[in-house]
Amino acid sequence: MDKGLLKLASVSASQRRHLRVRKWTKNVDIFSKHLLLFPINLRQHWFLVAVLHPGATSPSADCRPLLVAMDSLGYERNRVLITLRDYLAEEWRARKSPQTPPLWRTATAFVPHQQNHFDCGLFLLEYAERLMRGPLPPSDSALHMESWFDVENVATKRQTVIQLIRREAVPKVKDSARPTP
């Protein structure tokens, strides 16, 4: 897309943002998925936004679309949720129908919190892993997950990540440092 077209006055800010990233999903129907995960780093802090049932059009309470922010410091992420909801609406219009997209509700989940200022990435990984293991929580109960896991799980996650890096990355770095014959 020509950058000049992105600045057209007739194009809204959400349309311009969508035009910048629309190729990222050109071969994927994100609305056929049950779960979308958006890891976000804002001001050197990681948090997760999960979209439950993104393409659901059913009025069923268990399957209504929901964008939920999961922040290990407990911050509300309303601006980010609105921006992602705008993105989903533009993607729906571009890929599905110019008609009105589903109503994606937004909320901030009550999730286990970090006790320091450096474990946010590990908490994000724990939230994502728990969501991917499934089953997905019903949309209406996805907000109250304070006892979802014990904070001690994050210490275990740290060790798991360290072992994974040592097993996978370190040998490759050593191999790439060797001169080729």
Side-chain angles (χ1 to χ4, degrees):
M1 169 71 36
D2 179 47
K3 289 188 180 199
L5 292 176
L6 293 176
K7 295 180 181 178
L8 289 175
S10 62
V11 178
S12 70
S14 64
Q15 290 170 322
R16 281 194 303 274
R17 286 190 296 267
H18 180 259
L19 286 170
R20 287 185 206 122
V21 298
R22 69 180 177 173
K23 291 181 182 177
W24 295 0
T25 58
K26 70 180 179 182
N27 297 320
V28 179
D29 178 7
I30 63 173
F31 301 107
S32 68
K33 309 300 180 193
H34 298 291
L35 173 68
L36 302 175
L37 299 176
F38 293 90
I40 297 175
N41 186 289
L42 187 62
R43 295 183 195 94
Q44 299 180 345
H45 174 66
W46 286 101
F47 62 97
L48 182 68
V49 174
V51 184
L52 308 176
H53 318 291
T57 55
S58 165
S60 164
D62 287 349
C63 196
R64 287 187 293 208
L66 174 68
L67 283 86
V68 59
M70 298 177 180
D71 189 314
S72 60
L73 290 177
Y75 295 127
E76 289 190 16
R77 298 297 181 173
N78 294 331
R79 182 69 237 151
V80 171
L81 289 169
I82 290 167
T83 300
L84 280 173
R85 184 176 60 194
D86 290 348
Y87 162 76
L88 290 171
E90 293 301 330
E91 184 73 1
W92 181 272
R93 288 183 191 102
R95 310 264 185 227
K96 292 288 188 189
S97 167
Q99 304 297 324
T100 305
L103 174 63
W104 291 286
R105 296 173 303 126
T106 63
T108 299
F110 298 98
V111 290
H113 291 167
Q114 66 190 73
Q115 304 299 313
N116 55 40
H117 295 286
F118 50 83
D119 277 345
C120 55
L122 294 170
F123 274 79
L124 181 151
L125 292 173
E126 189 69 26
Y127 301 152
E129 185 176 337
R130 298 243 172 199
L131 286 168
M132 288 187 293
R133 274 192 215 148
L136 291 180
S139 294
D140 290 340
S141 66
L143 307 179
H144 297 283
M145 299 183 287
E146 299 95 328
S147 60
W148 200 13
F149 60 85
D150 188 341
V151 175
E152 294 302 316
N153 287 31
V154 175
T156 304
K157 174 88 51 215
R158 179 182 290 108
Q159 291 307 313
T160 302
V161 170
I162 289 169
Q163 290 170 0
L164 178 67
I165 291 170
R166 285 182 178 151
R167 186 178 70 237
E168 297 296 327
V170 173
K172 292 176 183 169
V173 171
K174 287 180 183 176
D175 289 343
S176 67
R178 291 184 187 148
T180 52

